[in-house]
Each structure stands twice: as structure tokens, then as C-alpha cells.
């Protein structure tokens, strides 16, 4: 069973056991416009909550995507190197950005559920 959380910075994090998958929300990809490049994180990188994990570039601007919790990068979605538009077409499915292990799952307690996120974006 998985559970999905949302950050105020428009990342989603889906937790299944000890592994979490992270991406940007549909709202975020819509605000960015057509993505043309995704700078993926390095496997094995230890990052803290709030660190920049990924940079996405769209036709409008470049934006940072932050770690939603402390953790280690397990894998990056390398498909995005050749097809960054997957983030636009399927932001919560094939357009995921990275997977990670969580160092402190209690950090998820401060994140929003889907209803809270929808209220956040209005």
C-alpha cells in the first residue's frame, strides 16, 4: 500500500515501504509550461530536506525541485533525458523524477495530503 504526500513547493512523494518516488505535481508542470530539459540527480547522493535535487527547464524558465525529506537517491528517471515532456504528459506516473530511501519518515508528517494540497493551490 502506498501513500502520497505533497509539499508547498509542488513536489509529490509516493511512499511504498522504505522507497519513495518523487515528482512534480500536475499544477507545477502546468505552471512551468513545456519542459525541454531535466537535470537528474546522481544515484547514491545523500541529500537533506530542502536541498535541490533536480532542475527542470521549460520554455518559460528553469526551476529547482527540492528534496521533500532527508534521503539517498536510489535512481533517476533516465527516460526524461531523451523525453522531458513526459513530466508534462504524465507528471504523477511515467514523468516521475527520482526514487529515494527515507532517512527519517517522520519528516513526512509535515506534508499535505491530496485534499490539503488542492486547498493550498486554490
Amino acid at each position: 500500500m502506498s501513500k502520497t504526500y505533497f509539499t508547498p513547493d509542488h513536489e509529490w512523494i509516493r511512499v511504498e515501504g522504505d522507497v519513495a518516488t518523487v515528482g512534480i505535481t500536475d499544477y507545477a508542470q502546468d505552471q512551468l509550461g513545456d519542459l525541454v530539459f531535466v537535470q537528474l540527480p546522481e544515484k547514491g547522493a545523500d541529500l537533506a530536506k530542502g536541498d535541490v535535487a533536480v532542475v527542470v527547464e521549460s520554455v518559460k524558465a528553469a526551476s529547482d525541485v527540492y528534496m521533500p525529506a532527508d534521503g539517498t537517491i536510489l535512481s533517476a528517471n533516465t527516460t526524461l533525458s531523451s523525453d522531458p515532456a513526459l513530466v508534462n504528459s504524465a507528471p504523477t506516473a511515467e514523468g516521475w523524477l527520482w526514487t529515494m530511501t527515507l532517512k527519517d519518515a517522520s519528516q513526512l508528517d509535515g506534508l499535505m495530503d491530496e485534499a490539503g494540497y488542492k486547498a493550498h493551490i486554490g
Side-chain angles (χ1 to χ4, degrees):
M1 185 169 169
S2 68
K3 184 166 183 180
T4 304
Y5 301 86
F6 298 86
T7 73
D9 295 319
H10 311 291
E11 292 94 10
W12 57 264
I13 177 169
R14 184 176 306 123
V15 179
E16 297 176 76
D18 295 335
V19 177
T21 303
V22 181
I24 63 171
T25 65
D26 186 54
Y27 174 82
Q29 70 78 23
D30 187 57
Q31 295 297 306
L32 288 167
D34 294 336
L35 292 184
V36 295
F37 179 75
V38 178
Q39 181 183 354
L40 296 168
E42 286 188 36
K43 182 179 176 182
D46 282 320
L47 299 172
K49 181 178 181 175
D51 286 350
V52 175
V54 166
V55 176
V56 293
E57 274 187 51
S58 71
V59 294
K60 293 180 180 177
S63 295
D64 296 332
V65 182
Y66 304 99
M67 287 288 282
D70 295 352
T72 303
I73 302 296
L74 291 176
S75 65
N77 186 353
T78 56
T79 304
L80 300 177
S81 297
S82 60
D83 190 6
L86 270 178
V87 177
N88 294 112
S89 62
T92 59
E94 293 85 6
W96 60 275
L97 297 174
W98 73 88
T99 62
M100 61 185 278
T101 58
L102 294 168
K103 289 194 174 181
D104 181 3
S106 71
Q107 291 179 329
L108 301 174
D109 294 342
L111 302 179
M112 295 175 270
D113 61 9
E114 186 171 2
Y117 180 71
K118 285 183 178 178
H120 173 71
I121 60 173

